[in-house]
Amino acid sequence: MAVVEDGRRELVNLIYSQEALHRGFGGVVPEVAARAHLEKLPALVTEALDRAGVAPEQLERVGVTRGPGLVGCLLIGVGMARGLGAGWKKPVVGVNHLWGHIYAALLSDPGLEPPLLALVVSGAHSDLVWMPAHGQFQVLGRTRDDAAGEAFDKAARMLGLGYPGGPALERLAAAGEARRRPLPRPSLPGLEYSFSGLKTALLYRLRDLGPEVTEQDRADLAAAFQESVVESLLEKLARALEQRPAERVVVCGGVAANGRLRARAAEVVEAAGARLTVPPLVLCTDNAAMIAAAAHHAPQAALEVDPNLGW
Ligand code: KG4
Ligand code: ZN
């Protein structure tokens, strides 16, 4: 739950993390997630307004994610927003979650405006998107199979790491050396991604090592996996920049919290003569401020929940 001013400045950005709730299951349990939304949202509304020092009358509108996502959680969010809007007599606007990830960049970079090229990498998406103006999005490339975040999560599980996998794999990779146990770099023509082959390669390497696998082997493989995903993501970003020269580039979504991706993206974008914005970590992973920013700059009338909403 967040309160944002002019779609640019966060006044409050509260996150009730459900990580601990789902950790024991090794992943998000939809029913548990929906129930936790129902339990936590009302208190977060009050707390957000209190901390922002804002009265409901001062609000311009209520923004809420309508998709993509887990249907139970989306229904609770939209129901809640509809109720608040009716009670406060404020318009309620539905927001595309993916748009939100890009708008997170506007919160951290006051001068940023479209046109821009965005690499959106989350648990379910690896999309290269051209954004010519507010509310306009053109997908140039996407993944054929797993998303980058999903690949990180599955690789982490193979390496015996807990949930959420991405940050755990990054920590393990820090102790490893990618060159010692290199993994193939996925390569498809055009701007498409694919990570399922890389995942299988990791599985085979681990199987070949068998029970003899050392802590160093695991760290080396984690580093190699991270390197392959990051370089694959950036190779296509560089190619997209050749096809559609953009002055401004955004790398966003949960996977953009990855330190290696952040560092290499800076080099690749600079080499292409463009300027990169990567939101700070808390604005990369899912949060409400990015939804508020999108609701300000690109309000949508639709409030129908759509778990598979595309761009
Ligand atoms: O955007 P996000 O918070 O939620 C979705 O909309 O999916 O992205 C979550 C994804 C997860 O797959 C998680 O493992 C990944 O982002 N992630 C990371 C890191 N932090 C989060 N992947 C790699 N390195 C990280 N540091
Ligand atoms: Zn997300």
Side-chain angles (χ1 to χ4, degrees):
M1 195 70 65
V3 184
V4 165
E5 192 172 58
D6 298 329
R8 289 275 180 183
R9 205 163 73 83
E10 305 168 46
L11 299 182
V12 176
N13 189 15
L14 302 179
I15 295 175
Y16 167 72
S17 169
Q18 296 192 17
E19 263 173 39
L21 265 181
H22 300 288
R23 195 168 285 133
F25 300 101
V28 174
V29 184
E31 287 306 315
V32 173
R35 184 163 292 274
H37 276 69
L38 188 60
E39 284 169 7
K40 298 296 173 185
L41 279 176
L44 283 180
V45 175
T46 316
E47 191 181 340
L49 290 174
D50 277 358
R51 287 214 212 167
V54 166
E57 303 80 63
Q58 293 171 275
L59 296 174
E60 170 190 282
R61 60 184 67 140
V62 179
V64 62
T65 306
R66 73 177 190 96
L70 293 173
V71 68
C73 301
L74 294 169
L75 282 167
I76 286 164
V78 169
M80 179 92 195
R82 280 182 190 273
L84 293 174
W88 295 339
K89 299 187 176 56
K90 298 290 173 185
V92 181
V93 304
V95 173
N96 183 322
H97 177 81
L98 298 168
W99 296 18
H101 275 304
I102 297 183
Y103 276 100
L106 273 80
L107 287 165
S108 64
D109 188 342
L112 182 63
E113 279 290 333
L116 59 86
L117 179 72
L119 171 63
V120 185
V121 271
S122 70
H125 291 81
S126 306
D127 293 346
L128 275 167
V129 179
W130 172 245
M131 179 181 176
H134 286 289
Q136 291 178 27
F137 304 88
Q138 203 181 321
V139 181
L140 306 178
R142 52 163 53 102
T143 180
R144 269 196 193 175
D145 38 59
D146 290 349
E150 189 182 358
F152 268 112
D153 291 336
K154 288 178 179 167
R157 198 185 260 257
M158 288 181 215
L159 289 162
L161 303 169
Y163 162 87
L169 190 140
E170 182 178 6
R171 280 194 297 275
L172 180 60
E177 183 65 65
R179 267 169 308 186
R180 249 190 319 250
R181 297 207 172 267
L183 287 169
R185 183 161 315 163
S187 168
L188 283 180
L191 297 176
E192 270 188 318
Y193 291 114
S194 167
F195 296 109
S196 68
L198 173 62
K199 215 176 53 189
T200 310
L202 174 64
L203 188 70
Y204 287 167
R205 293 292 158 81
L206 283 166
R207 203 186 55 184
D208 293 347
L209 285 164
E212 310 290 276
V213 67
T214 64
E215 197 50 32
Q216 190 61 56
D217 293 333
R218 290 172 63 250
D220 291 343
L221 283 169
F225 187 89
Q226 174 175 266
E227 197 67 10
S228 283
V229 173
V230 165
E231 292 308 317
S232 166
L233 289 172
L234 295 177
E235 182 194 326
K236 298 297 164 83
L237 175 65
R239 201 174 292 174
L241 272 171
E242 280 167 19
Q243 291 176 11
R244 198 177 290 259
E247 283 173 23
R248 306 300 306 250
V249 177
V250 167
V251 176
C252 58
V255 180
N258 183 277
R260 181 70 186 158
L261 177 60
R262 299 171 79 90
R264 286 285 297 129
E267 291 168 6
V268 167
V269 173
E270 194 190 332
R275 232 179 96 188
L276 175 70
T277 303
V278 190
L281 300 200
V282 283
L283 292 176
C284 283
T285 43
D286 290 349
N287 66 89
M290 71 186 200
I291 301 304
H296 177 88
H297 290 283
Q300 295 166 284
L303 274 178
E304 288 76 28
V305 163
D306 183 351
N308 302 312
L309 186 65
W311 285 93

